[in-house]
Amino acid sequence: MSDQSHAPTDHDLAPGEEEQHSVGTRILGYVVGLALALLLTATSFFIAGTDLVWQPSIPVALIVLAIAQMGVHLVFFLHITTGPDNTNNVLALAFGLLVVFLVVGGTVWIMAHLNANMPPMDQIMRMQ
Amino acid sequence: MLGKLDWSAIPFDQPIPLIAGAVVLVAILAVLTWVVVKGHLPYLWSEWITSVDHKRIGVMYILLASVMLLRGGSDAIMMRIQQAVAYQSQGYLPPEHYNQIFSAHGTIMIFFVAMPFVIGLMNLIVPLQLGVRDVAFPTLNSVGFWLTATGALLVNLSLVVGEFARTGWLAFPPLSELSYSPGVGVDYYAWSLQISGVGTLVAGINLVTTVLKLRTKGMNYLRMPMFCWTTLASNLLIVAAFPILTATLAMLLLDRYLGFHFFTNEAGGNVMMFMNLIWAWGHPEVYILVLPAFGIFSEVVSTFSGKALFGYRSMVLATMAICVISFMVWLHHFFTMGAGPDVNAIFGIASMIIAIPTGVKIYNWLFTMYGGRIRFATPMLWSVGFMVTFIVGGLTGVLLAVPPADFMLHNSMFLVAHFHNVIIGGVLFGAFAGFEYWFPKAFGFRLDERWGKLAFWFTFLGFFITFVPLYIAGMLGMTRRMQHYDVAAWRPWMIVAAIGMAVLTIGVICQIVQIVVSIRNREALRDRTGDPWDGRSLEWATSSPPPVFNFAFNPDVRGEDAYWDMKARAQQQSLERDRPEYQDIEMPRNSPTGFVCAFFATIMGFALIWHIWWMVILGGLGAWATFVVFAWRDHDEYVIPAEEVAAIDRVNLEERRDLVSMAGTV
Amino acid sequence: MAMTATAGHAHADPHHIGVVIEHPGPASKRIVTAYGFWIFLLSDIVMFSCFFAAYAVLSGQTAGGPKGSEIFEQRNVAIETVCLLLSSFTCGMASIAADVRNRFWFYLGMTVTCVLGLIFLVIEFREFADLVARGYGPSRSAFLTAFFSLVGCHGLHVSAGVLWLLTMMAQVFAKGFRADVLRRIMCFALFWHALDIVWVGVFSVVYLLGSAA
Ligand code: HEM
Ligand SMILES: [Cu+2]
């Protein structure tokens, strides 16, 4: 399985690989990514500490910002784009995300119900 | 210096494990001495232990699984005897020993029999079916195998040094917490699973990458044999689910070693979170096991019916549907633990839905057989036996998935019967079918059919005699994991089950005899063409056993059932003559990385179990250093010259030419 | 890339519907390696998600101990975050340097990445040590258990990353930019960037949500 034995024709991209760009373009990509990431981070920290916004919206805003920032990282640092060559990488990512979503969401949902119906030992103690 | 380890760790007062341990030790020493004296050690080292050839690794996986099957089977026999005699008495196994046995039985059967068996078959066959020369990461493949072996070794070590867990195969807290299980049993359990879990994850990554990225020319997704599809699905599940097991066991270990409070009763810990997480792994796990078996049955049924698989695309769809839905049903394992009606209802419905794609598969196999010219060779017998058995197991599963019914049946012998019904009737029958079917490919000669058929019939009957009584005992209210009982109505069923176990054991013995007899008669059973069953997929397009490089030329695939197609075309045009020039082939070099790494992992695991901290550090450093040394080597491939390739290939072509002129038409 | 289509069809079918694109054969080693590592990263993220889930479930269980808002220091977290973000950037620079075979910029990029990683680890370690010293160790409550495990798990990954990074630098020093070394550098970069993504989750869910609540 050596590199030479494979036809160079395949249009596959490795995860993290960029399509052929000049060094300048690539550096620019990282600069933009870094700037966006810092901006989103700053916004998160600002929102978490401020009294200026409606308080109940803060958790939602933080989650949204976090997801946005993860997206920025994926696109600018890990170079997972949705171009046709990247389908396989993105599909794997989608499967991973689905599982993460199911596990975290499922756990939170299930455990909330269990806690409501059958609280852990020390909570029962406290209720008595 | 040695942590918790001292002489009291050796159970001098318990004859059974001690004698068993001694026998195994003597056996191992005898084999080792024989190997050394006969001068086989260099061969073993260079051709097997350090081999990175996927076929060799696959064979070693299967060997490991077979040996562990005997160990797990002994546990099973002991338990069946205990329950047959322990009516209003203590039987012959004291409770703490009985508890260790059922825990070890479950752990071994799932992690060290079923898993290595299916992973071994996938390793052995998938690259061949895809028409490529090796898996994506050959050396890591070897690391994965040896780490699995490490886990198995540690579990068996617990027999003579210390003890095994008494907590069942999933070590539920709070019983498995330090306050209730202060011994090393749970630590043996957890660390062997952590280490072998790394091995499994490596195998999963390797096979997913192999299927997705290493296919021969023209092997489009929708031309892959069914076994490759189920391999893909199963390994995607490994990659997605095993980290959950790793995390959950890590949490348990943190509780035990560092006083954390994930699952404790104190300080806000939550036992149910263990249930939740472990089953989030546990349900996908059962499909990790059974999906490859489904793939095997698909291959076998279509080969022995002489027809293409019926509804190939629906089969692919069903496989991928199972892959996703299996992540949405895990709560059915704890319906009774307080989730409430809405949650239970949703997970109950999801569990029933997963039976639909499974049913689709059954119909596809039936329609594949319909109108075919069926040959009832041993692999086909296992497949038909599977269909009958698995339908029962699947239906009882659906029954259990109805929450109100589950409130009656949960943790009863009915449940025990259900999962043995699907795991034996599905996974084990599948493994045996695959074993019989691909044995000639791996070793170059067929297995004896007469003994194979005997083995099937004894196992098949033995299975029903053992497990139908368990269904009945469950309905009579018998719960699982009972060391003794006082209810007269259960007794007869336990006795019948013990008889069934005896019949099953005869089946296993037949299988051993079959192997011995076949090795003796190997010249008569020789498979010269490489295509003993008139097969349809590419593994049959090369010699048996295949050369290291599998194929002299990467096959060019034009449709489904690639090899069948080639045979048909070859017959029409006698194409085999105009072969292009042979070329040099580069293959990965052997490497002791896997073995050495597992050696250090064993040291580390053992040290962790016994709290020998300096040794933990030593093992960790050793494992890291092994990888660095591996990364430092300069030549990772060697070249097989074109003449050698040509010489090897021509021999096989000669044999095959006669065959080709006859086959391909039905 | 070979396209097989019934000849007549191809013209009447400008969007190539009904055209079977023949699979071109095994992918190159670089793609195979990176893809395998990508799959590994996804599995690692699933593992992290379990610790996140555990944190979500246990974060309210303080058992009379401190709440998140009482022990988190936003300033430290902000510094940690900036360190990691910058290190992701420098790691990117190092991979570009490796691709154009420029040793100087590669070493520089990796060194800065390593230093930033170490600063992050030191800050985290001091935070942990300080909490333990105040009696707020992981055994204090389920909340602290979940907190220490989640954050510590990320910290362990960063430590492993630093070890890997140093190994890679040594390897480039000894072997130069060989094909297999380049593949490993690519995997390392993926690993390092992925850890950043996890950290985004950590600081948002643990620190910021925790102190907001
Ligand atoms: C047709 C689809 C299936 C359904 C609807 C189903 C349903 C269930 C349910 C509801 C339980 C929990 C019962 C209880 O604890 O009270 C269960 C347990 C179990 N099932 Fe299945 N099942 C199915 C197929 C399978 C397959 C294919 C396998 C393995 C290859 C399997 C292996 C197991 C195991 C190992 C357990 C119990 C483990 C334990 O509690 O120790 N099941 N099943
Ligand atoms: Cu299940």
Side-chain angles (χ1 to χ4, degrees):
Chain A
M1 310 267 121
S2 65
D3 286 288
Q4 303 91 285
S5 69
H6 303 309
T9 48
D10 58 13
H11 276 244
D12 233 357
L13 274 188
E17 205 167 41
E18 299 168 277
E19 282 151 271
Q20 295 311 313
H21 287 309
S22 71
V23 173
T25 337
R26 290 181 65 185
I27 295 181
L28 191 67
Y30 280 98
V31 172
V32 172
L34 181 66
L36 283 175
L38 284 173
L39 188 71
L40 287 165
T41 305
T43 319
S44 287
F45 275 81
F46 169 74
I47 286 195
T50 183
D51 298 329
L52 293 178
V53 296
W54 186 50
Q55 293 299 307
S57 72
I58 288 180
V60 182
L62 285 176
I63 302 271
V64 171
L65 284 167
I67 292 175
Q69 187 168 351
M70 290 176 184
V72 166
H73 283 239
L74 279 173
V75 172
F76 289 96
F77 295 159
L78 288 118
H79 312 297
I80 298 297
T81 51
T82 44
D85 309 335
N86 242 328
T87 355
N88 234 326
N89 306 335
V90 177
L91 269 181
L93 178 68
F95 180 66
L97 287 182
L98 175 71
V99 171
V100 167
F101 172 76
L102 287 172
V103 169
V104 176
T107 300
V108 170
W109 184 49
I110 292 170
M111 292 307 294
H113 276 256
L114 289 174
N115 281 345
N117 294 331
M118 209 179 65
M121 204 67 103
D122 55 345
Q123 288 182 30
I124 298 183
M125 306 290 229
R126 252 180 279 142
M127 283 191 297
Q128 279 165 355
Chain B
M1 186 65 185
L2 286 180
K4 288 160 74 176
L5 185 63
D6 56 36
W7 285 111
S8 68
I10 316 257
F12 290 112
D13 52 332
Q14 292 173 27
I16 298 181
L18 213 58
I19 295 173
V23 170
V24 171
L25 211 68
V26 169
I28 291 176
L29 284 180
V31 172
L32 268 183
T33 327
W34 180 77
V35 165
V36 173
V37 169
K38 285 274 186 168
H40 290 319
L41 199 58
Y43 166 77
L44 216 58
W45 175 262
S46 61
E47 294 294 315
W48 292 89
I49 294 175
T50 61
S51 176
V52 298
D53 181 341
H54 71 95
K55 303 179 283 297
R56 294 274 162 90
I57 293 175
V59 169
M60 289 194 288
Y61 263 118
I62 294 169
L63 186 68
L64 174 72
S66 312
V67 172
M68 296 307 284
L69 179 65
L70 299 182
R71 157 83 212 266
S74 321
D75 290 340
I77 295 173
M78 284 161 75
M79 287 189 290
R80 279 287 127 252
I81 296 178
Q82 167 75 10
Q83 288 199 325
V85 298
Y87 166 61
Q88 289 187 342
S89 80
Q90 284 294 314
Y92 73 109
L93 291 172
E96 76 281 358
H97 194 178
Y98 184 74
N99 293 357
Q100 285 185 43
I101 293 183
F102 69 63
S103 308
H105 169 75
T107 311
I108 288 176
M109 285 303 199
I110 297 282
F111 293 97
F112 301 113
V113 177
M115 287 298 284
F117 216 129
V118 294
I119 292 181
L121 286 171
M122 294 190 282
N123 241 306
L124 176 65
I125 294 304
V126 164
L128 289 169
Q129 288 197 332
L130 294 175
V132 294
R133 300 209 164 113
D134 210 329
V135 287
F137 307 105
T139 312
L140 274 183
N141 201 13
S142 149
V143 174
F145 165 71
W146 285 108
L147 288 180
T148 309
T150 295
L153 181 67
L154 285 176
V155 169
N156 284 290
L157 201 61
S158 74
L159 207 57
V160 279
V161 187
E163 49 161 7
F164 196 68
R166 299 164 192 181
T167 48
W169 73 285
L170 286 179
F172 292 152
L175 180 58
S176 55
E177 290 286 356
L178 200 59
S179 28
Y180 303 100
S181 297
V184 292
V186 177
D187 303 326
Y188 263 114
Y189 165 85
W191 287 115
S192 10
L193 294 199
Q194 289 295 51
I195 292 173
S196 68
V198 174
T200 306
L201 181 65
V202 167
I205 292 172
N206 199 353
L207 285 163
V208 169
T209 314
T210 305
V211 174
L212 290 182
K213 292 287 168 187
L214 290 186
R215 279 166 287 127
T216 188
K217 200 164 166 312
M219 183 60 87
N220 296 3
Y221 285 122
L222 284 174
R223 291 174 183 171
M224 293 197 301
M226 218 31 235
F227 185 55
C228 295
W229 272 106
T230 58
T231 296
L232 175 63
S234 165
N235 286 285
L236 278 174
L237 285 177
I238 288 184
V239 169
F242 265 75
I244 306 180
L245 177 70
T246 306
T248 314
L249 290 178
M251 291 177 196
L252 181 63
L253 286 167
L254 285 169
D255 277 7
R256 289 179 60 87
Y257 278 67
L258 299 175
F260 281 37
H261 289 292
F262 279 110
F263 312 125
T264 58
N265 284 334
E266 311 85 42
N270 196 332
V271 181
M272 286 312 294
M273 205 172 54
F274 184 92
M275 286 287 178
N276 170 67
L277 287 177
I278 202 87
W279 286 117
W281 159 81
H283 190 84
E285 164 68 7
V286 305
Y287 279 96
I288 290 171
L289 293 175
V290 87
L291 280 173
F294 287 169
I296 296 169
F297 296 126
S298 305
E299 302 292 310
V300 168
V301 168
S302 102
T303 302
F304 289 95
S305 305
K307 279 174 65 188
L309 190 64
F310 180 90
Y312 172 80
R313 284 174 190 231
S314 66
M315 206 72 142
V316 170
L317 207 65
T319 305
M320 295 327 270
I322 290 177
C323 181
V324 173
I325 304 176
S326 67
F327 263 107
M328 304 181 182
V329 302
W330 76 85
L331 184 124
H332 66 215
H333 293 274
F334 48 104
F335 277 146
T336 55
M337 301 183 200
D342 33 4
V343 179
N344 273 2
I346 287 184
F347 277 93
I349 291 167
S351 309
M352 294 178 219
I353 287 178
I354 207 170
I356 295 173
T358 316
V360 168
K361 286 178 172 252
I362 298 269
Y363 281 109
N364 279 340
W365 292 315
L366 288 176
F367 283 124
T368 307
M369 288 167 66
Y370 177 78
R373 263 193 219 163
I374 304 177
R375 290 170 287 159
F376 279 104
T378 317
M380 189 63 180
L381 278 187
W382 286 111
S383 306
V384 176
F386 149 81
M387 285 186 231
V388 176
T389 316
F390 195 83
I391 290 175
V392 179
L395 286 179
T396 58
V398 176
L399 207 70
L400 287 169
V402 181
D406 190 60
F407 271 72
M408 296 284 104
L409 295 167
H410 176 59
N411 273 356
S412 70
M413 287 308 250
F414 189 91
L415 162 75
V416 175
H418 155 67
F419 68 73
H420 283 87
N421 200 329
V422 278
I423 292 181
I424 297 182
V427 184
L428 209 64
F429 281 20
F432 288 159
F435 179 79
E436 303 277 332
Y437 182 53
W438 283 312
F439 186 94
K441 187 42 63 186
F443 293 102
F445 57 95
R446 290 181 214 221
L447 286 168
D448 185 271
E449 278 286 305
R450 208 166 62 92
W451 281 102
K453 287 186 173 145
L454 273 180
F456 166 75
W457 283 111
F458 275 111
T459 311
F460 184 72
L461 289 177
F463 168 79
F464 280 99
I465 305 176
T466 312
F467 289 97
V468 170
L470 298 196
Y471 276 124
I472 298 169
M475 308 252 229
L476 294 174
M478 183 172 182
T479 53
R480 72 195 291 192
R481 297 176 176 160
M482 299 192 100
Q483 185 257 347
H484 68 114
Y485 54 92
D486 299 327
V487 178
W490 301 344
R491 179 98 208 265
W493 301 115
M494 290 303 108
I495 293 175
V496 178
I499 296 171
M501 190 69 222
V503 181
L504 260 175
T505 311
I506 299 177
V508 173
I509 293 174
C510 287
Q511 214 137 33
I512 296 173
V513 173
Q514 180 201 26
I515 295 171
V516 175
V517 167
S518 318
I519 293 178
R520 286 252 192 93
N521 296 345
R522 61 185 175 281
E523 282 317 316
L525 293 165
R526 183 75 61 199
D527 161 32
R528 293 182 198 289
T529 58
D531 183 17
W533 308 117
D534 199 6
R536 317 177 68 83
S537 41
L538 285 179
E539 76 267 33
W540 308 112
T542 182
S543 63
S544 300
V548 255
F549 47 81
N550 289 354
F551 301 96
F553 302 94
N554 282 337
D556 187 358
V557 174
R558 312 268 175 86
E560 286 167 40
D561 280 344
Y563 181 50
W564 190 261
D565 192 42
M566 283 181 195
K567 283 192 277 193
R569 268 186 289 131
Q571 193 196 23
Q572 285 163 12
Q573 318 166 2
S574 43
L575 243 175
E576 299 270 337
R577 252 178 285 116
D578 46 83
R579 282 266 178 173
E581 288 293 296
Y582 286 97
Q583 283 172 350
D584 291 356
I585 292 178
E586 284 182 23
M587 291 302 291
R589 272 160 44 129
N590 284 355
S591 159
T593 309
F595 187 73
V596 178
C597 179
F599 172 78
F600 285 115
T602 312
I603 291 187
M604 198 160 128
F606 186 78
L608 280 164
I609 290 164
W610 292 100
H611 297 228
I612 313 173
W613 304 120
W614 59 269
M615 219 157 112
V616 174
I617 296 171
L618 199 79
L621 281 180
W624 175 72
T626 315
F627 274 101
V628 173
V629 170
F630 170 67
W632 236 259
R633 68 182 187 167
D634 286 324
H635 304 286
D636 47 7
E637 288 181 334
Y638 69 102
V639 175
I640 304 173
E643 307 86 70
E644 202 178 320
V645 176
I648 296 174
D649 199 43
R650 287 210 182 97
V651 177
N652 181 243
L653 278 187
E654 280 311 311
E655 299 280 358
R656 199 172 286 263
R657 201 154 282 154
D658 308 333
L659 176 93
V660 158
S661 59
M662 288 149 35
T665 44
V666 171
Chain C
M1 194 175 291
M3 305 248 187
T4 42
T6 22
H9 255 132
H11 297 288
D13 187 17
H15 299 291
H16 300 289
I17 301 163
V19 173
V20 179
I21 299 174
E22 294 283 323
H23 180 66
S28 77
K29 245 185 174 172
R30 190 176 158 84
I31 287 176
V32 170
T33 307
Y35 192 77
F37 196 75
W38 179 235
I39 301 282
F40 163 75
L41 284 180
L42 292 174
S43 82
D44 212 32
I45 284 177
V46 173
M47 194 201 63
F48 269 112
S49 77
C50 295
F51 283 98
F52 273 108
Y55 181 82
V57 171
L58 297 178
S59 58
Q61 304 295 327
T62 50
K67 285 197 302 207
S69 50
E70 298 164 31
I71 54 170
F72 296 152
E73 287 198 31
Q74 291 231 358
R75 201 177 56 94
N76 276 351
V77 185
I79 300 175
E80 286 179 311
T81 308
V82 171
C83 278
L84 280 191
L85 288 181
L86 287 179
S87 81
S88 239
F89 178 75
T90 55
C91 172
M93 294 306 107
S95 358
I96 298 180
D99 285 346
V100 297
R101 313 281 195 277
N102 185 322
R103 277 185 192 238
F104 172 75
W105 283 102
F106 173 75
Y107 288 136
L108 188 67
M110 289 295 255
T111 313
V112 177
T113 309
C114 178
V115 170
L116 288 168
L118 286 175
I119 296 178
F120 171 86
L121 285 173
V122 169
I123 297 177
E124 183 158 286
F125 184 78
R126 282 185 27 197
E127 181 193 7
F128 278 14
D130 178 51
L131 284 176
V132 173
R134 284 155 65 190
Y136 299 154
S139 337
R140 178 62 189 85
S141 69
F143 156 64
L144 284 165
T145 285
F147 164 75
F148 271 88
S149 324
L150 173 56
V151 179
C153 185
H154 176 266
L156 275 182
H157 275 75
V158 175
S159 317
V162 169
L163 187 66
W164 188 2
L165 183 157
L166 293 174
T167 315
M168 282 330 297
M169 283 175 76
Q171 214 174 15
V172 170
F173 180 76
K175 305 280 174 191
F177 293 114
R178 237 167 40 182
D180 58 342
V181 176
L182 283 175
R183 287 199 298 270
R184 287 186 201 123
I185 292 175
M186 181 162 74
C187 292
F188 167 77
L190 280 173
F191 182 69
W192 198 258
H193 294 315
L195 285 188
D196 245 21
I197 294 188
V198 174
W199 180 253
V200 172
V202 172
F203 82 68
S204 303
V205 171
V206 176
Y207 289 107
L208 294 185
L209 271 182
S211 32

